Every structure is written in C-alpha cells, then in structure tokens.
Amino acid sequence: MHRILNTKVFKVGPDHIEIRFIEEAVKVIRDGGLVVFPTETVYGLGADTFNRGAIVKIFEAKGRPLDNPLIIHIASTDQLEEVVDLKFVKLDVYRLMEKFWPGPLTFILPKAQHVPYEVTAGKNTVAVRMPAHPVALKLIELSRTPIAAPSANLSGKPSPTLPEHVIKDMMGRVDVILDSGETLYGVESTIIDLTRDPPILLRPGAVPVEEVEKYLQKKIVVPDFARGIAEAPEPLSPGMKYRHYAPNTPLIVLEAEDYSNLQGYVEKILEYISVLKSSGKKILVLASRETENLYRGLDANVLVLGSRKNLFEIAKNLFPILRSIDELGVDLAVVEGFEERGLGLTIMNRLRKASGYNIVKI
Ligand code: TXA
Ligand code: MG
C-alpha cells in the first residue's frame, strides 16, 4: 500500500525553467520524499539513492516488485565514485561515458559499498546513467546526491512520456511532479552490462546498440529478446521477466520474415484479420504511414505509429498509443512488425513485451 500524499505539480520548462520549483523538489529529495522529474527518455520517479526509507517508498508508489533494481542518475562524472566501485572501471568505459553522456545509455557496473541493497535489489552491481535533460541535471546537482529512479509509471504500464500520463499514474503517490512537457525520445535508455566480457545488451533503448559497438570497438552480445529470455529461470536483468507496457486489450504482433515487400506483407495481415473478423471481433490495426492506405476498405480502426523511414518517430509514439488502446473499445489489436535494426530492435522489444509475447509470424 502507498500513502496518500498531497502532490504538488510544478511546470518547469521546456522553454522557461523556474529554478524555485526545482529548489522545492530538491527540498523533497533531501527530506527523503519522492519527486517525478523529466528526462530525455521518459519521466523518472526519484529519491535520494542513499536514503533507504525513501527508496522503499519508490517501490510502494509504483507497486514495483522489490527484486527489480533501480537506475541511479548522476549529474557529473565526479559523482560516479559515490555509486560505482572505480577499481573495476577500465579506460574504454570512460571513453563510452565521454561519448554518450549525458544521454540515454545506462551501464551496469560493480557497485560502491555504500549503495544500499534496496536500490540494487540485492545485487552487487548498479545501473547508472547521466540524463540529458536540464531539469534532471539541475535537480541532481542541487540535491547533492545521486538520484535513484525507475520510470514514473505504475508497475506494468507503459513508461510515461507526457505529463498527463505521470499525473494519471502518480497523483497522490509522490510529493512533487516536475512537468516539463513531452519527453524527447519517448522510450527508455539502452542498458549495457559492462561487468561481463564481452558486454551484453540487457535492454535495447534510445541509443541503437550498433552505435555503442562502433565506439567500444568490441562486439556486444545481443540476446534473443524474442523468445525464452522473459521466462528464463534467472533473467540477466530482473526487469526482463515482468510483463510490461501491456494494454488490457489482447495485442498480437504480426511479424514478417522480411519487410521489403510491404504490399505482400499487408495482404497476409488482411487475410489474418478476415479470419478474426468472421468471429465478429472488433479490431484495431497499428500500422505505419507507408501501409495505412492498404487497410482502406477494411472495417477496423487503424492507427498510424509513424513512418518506417523514421523509427525515432515510431519509438516516440509507441507508449502514448499503447496507453490509448484500451480506450478504443475494440476486442483485439494487431500491430505490424519492424526490421530489428537500430531503433527497430527497441521498438520490437517493447511491442513483444506489450503483447505478452503474443507473436504470430506471417
Ligand atoms: O530511460 C530510462 O532508463 C528511465 C529514465 C527514468 O532514466 N528509467 C527506467 O528505469 O527505465 P526502470 O526502472 O523502468 O528500468 C530499469 C531497468 C530494469 O529493467 C532493471 O531490471 C534494470 O534496469 N536494472 C537496474 N539495475 C540493474 C542491475 N544492477 N543489473 C541488471 N539490471 C538492472
Ligand atoms: Mg520501467
């Protein structure tokens, strides 16, 4: 159970940032309270990393299982030593930080002794990143402590990318919400475990793993997120095993072997839908700008995720659209698949999770 709090909502930016509102949030962090703050990926639900009581409140507010650890957010590389055991950090890790921070890339590294096990869910590693958002950076800097924060959604829901999502999920559960409008990427950070050699991708995110590989000049292991891993007995990242982003409406991902013949692909989707419709089901199709016209004439709702030529747009629209599915009063939603390159890997990971791995290859 969570306590009912009197949540204050302050508008900070994106254009004009009122420092006094951030100062109010800093007081809350210092007093062991909870602050929702914007990042360049999604909104975060933050507390003082070193205040055990405050950390426990994060799990209560989200309804998050205690075995799913949090990401620690820092505002400068000087803060790294407060959370990471620097003995084990090698030169190529610093090179990655220099290139990608501040930005949507999270590293798993050995933890510093003083990081409470409540933050790491009992692990000897920490997840750490420096967000590229002026409000987040100012909040961390003035709080003079690294801020531990998961995404600011109720557990199981898509991460919040718009202030109204944060307000819907977190009103009465946190002390302050810093509203800075829509977030830039709309999808969470990429997580790479650097405690392993070769490093391993734990969550595809806003930075394509290929870009990180190029800089590291080393292969990064990309697990097969499509199958198995969600049910693995001991997932590499605890977050992998939970159903996520899921609408109540059943969702099916219709995947192709190859997306070069879109016309042929959509014909198969239409065939698949016609079988479903014969049982009288109301259907929603999540399509792309390139294919939406091919569904004309079909008696079904069609929503456009964005253009296949602009996966950034699709990634950004994904969570708001997943959140809206249940409001449309359909019996079933089907979504087109995307090629798993660059942000396509991230998009497919979120879609498959949202569907509860309800995947059909057509
Ligand atoms: O973009 C983001 O990463 C956002 C913003 C707020 O920074 N945060 C976010 O946090 O998405 P969250 O809690 O929703 O996801 C954190 C993920 C979880 O899947 C968790 O299992 C994993 O990071 N994680 C955290 N610490 C870990 C560790 N020590 N080892 C392996 N996985 C870890
Ligand atoms: Mg999350």
Side-chain angles (χ1 to χ4, degrees):
M1 262 303 283
H2 73 98
R3 292 176 304 140
I4 309 273
L5 302 172
N6 177 18
T7 306
K8 289 187 196 151
V9 182
F10 297 126
K11 186 124 191 63
V12 281
D15 306 321
H16 176 66
I17 296 174
E18 283 226 37
I19 200 78
R20 71 192 161 102
F21 292 143
I22 297 186
E23 279 164 354
E24 288 240 13
V26 167
K27 251 185 263 150
V28 168
I29 295 284
R30 304 244 20 120
D31 291 346
L34 300 182
V35 172
V36 172
F37 63 97
T39 81
E40 79 282 35
T41 56
V42 302
Y43 276 83
L45 165 54
D48 178 358
T49 298
F50 297 106
N51 185 328
R52 291 194 147 83
I55 297 300
V56 170
K57 284 197 240 165
I58 290 181
F59 289 89
E60 288 168 357
K62 272 184 72 97
R64 183 179 178 105
L66 286 163
D67 65 352
N68 195 2
L70 311 179
I71 294 178
I72 299 178
H73 297 70
I74 59 175
S76 76
T77 38
D78 294 345
Q79 278 182 316
L80 205 57
E81 63 180 335
E82 293 178 54
V83 295
V84 168
D85 189 340
L86 291 182
K87 275 201 305 293
F88 298 100
V89 181
K90 297 195 209 89
L91 207 62
D92 52 355
V93 176
Y94 287 107
R95 272 197 22 240
L96 280 185
M97 288 171 183
E98 208 169 294
K99 165 71 186 159
F100 290 97
W101 282 2
L105 186 56
T106 297
F107 299 119
I108 306 295
L109 291 164
K111 94 187 230 327
Q113 209 183 345
H114 300 297
V115 175
Y117 280 112
E118 283 79 356
V119 173
T120 69
K123 286 174 160 283
N124 285 316
T125 52
V126 279
V128 59
R129 84 175 188 101
M130 190 190 294
H133 194 293
V135 173
L137 290 173
K138 203 75 199 160
L139 175 70
I140 301 163
E141 185 199 318
L142 296 180
S143 299
R144 301 205 310 279
T145 182
I147 292 183
S151 49
N153 51 285
L154 290 175
S155 197
K157 290 231 212 155
S159 299
T161 60
L162 295 168
E164 58 256 40
H165 298 162
V166 165
I167 285 167
K168 183 144 192 257
D169 284 10
M170 288 299 150
M171 213 56 190
R173 291 173 181 261
V174 300
D175 299 286
V176 163
I177 293 173
L178 297 175
D179 165 358
S180 205
E182 163 183 74
T183 61
L184 175 63
Y185 290 98
V187 70
E188 305 92 338
S189 62
T190 302
I191 305 181
I192 294 177
D193 186 347
L194 294 174
T195 66
R196 292 164 193 262
D197 196 17
I200 170 165
L201 177 69
L202 295 187
R203 178 176 74 184
V207 179
V209 65
E210 295 92 333
E211 266 181 46
V212 186
E213 240 169 11
K214 213 166 64 194
Y215 253 82
L216 197 59
Q217 290 173 350
K218 213 189 229 181
K219 195 91 200 119
I220 294 171
V221 176
V222 176
D224 183 357
F225 292 105
R227 67 181 169 82
I229 227 160
E231 274 74 44
E234 205 195 332
L236 294 163
S237 179
M240 284 177 172
K241 73 178 177 214
Y242 295 107
R243 190 164 181 225
H244 245 125
Y245 316 118
N248 292 322
T249 311
L251 173 68
I252 305 173
V253 191
L254 298 178
E255 298 188 11
E257 287 299 337
D258 154 27
Y259 294 96
S260 56
N261 174 7
L262 284 178
Q263 178 98 31
Y265 173 47
V266 172
E267 273 163 24
K268 287 191 206 151
I269 296 180
L270 287 169
E271 243 170 75
Y272 188 88
I273 292 176
S274 73
V275 175
L276 294 172
K277 281 186 73 73
S278 63
S279 60
K281 283 194 162 61
K282 273 201 215 143
I283 313 267
L284 165 70
V285 183
L286 303 181
S288 52
R289 191 149 301 123
E290 287 77 6
T291 56
E292 68 174 314
N293 279 337
L294 302 172
Y295 297 98
R296 250 193 320 214
L298 178 74
D299 176 27
N301 292 24
V302 179
L303 286 180
V304 175
L305 288 165
S307 167
R308 288 179 177 271
K309 299 196 191 90
N310 183 358
L311 295 180
F312 179 89
E313 181 193 16
I314 294 185
K316 187 166 179 157
N317 287 335
L318 200 57
F319 291 162
I321 288 183
L322 286 176
R323 278 187 180 246
S324 73
I325 290 180
D326 290 335
E327 291 154 24
L328 296 172
V330 296
D331 300 307
L332 183 77
V334 299
V335 59
E336 290 181 359
F338 299 88
E339 204 176 321
E340 285 180 87
R341 258 195 292 137
L343 279 179
L345 182 70
T346 307
I347 291 165
M348 288 311 287
N349 172 258
R350 304 303 190 271
L351 284 177
R352 288 167 177 155
K353 271 194 165 186
S355 74
Y357 296 91
N358 198 350
I359 300 164
V360 176
K361 290 233 186 246
I362 63 170

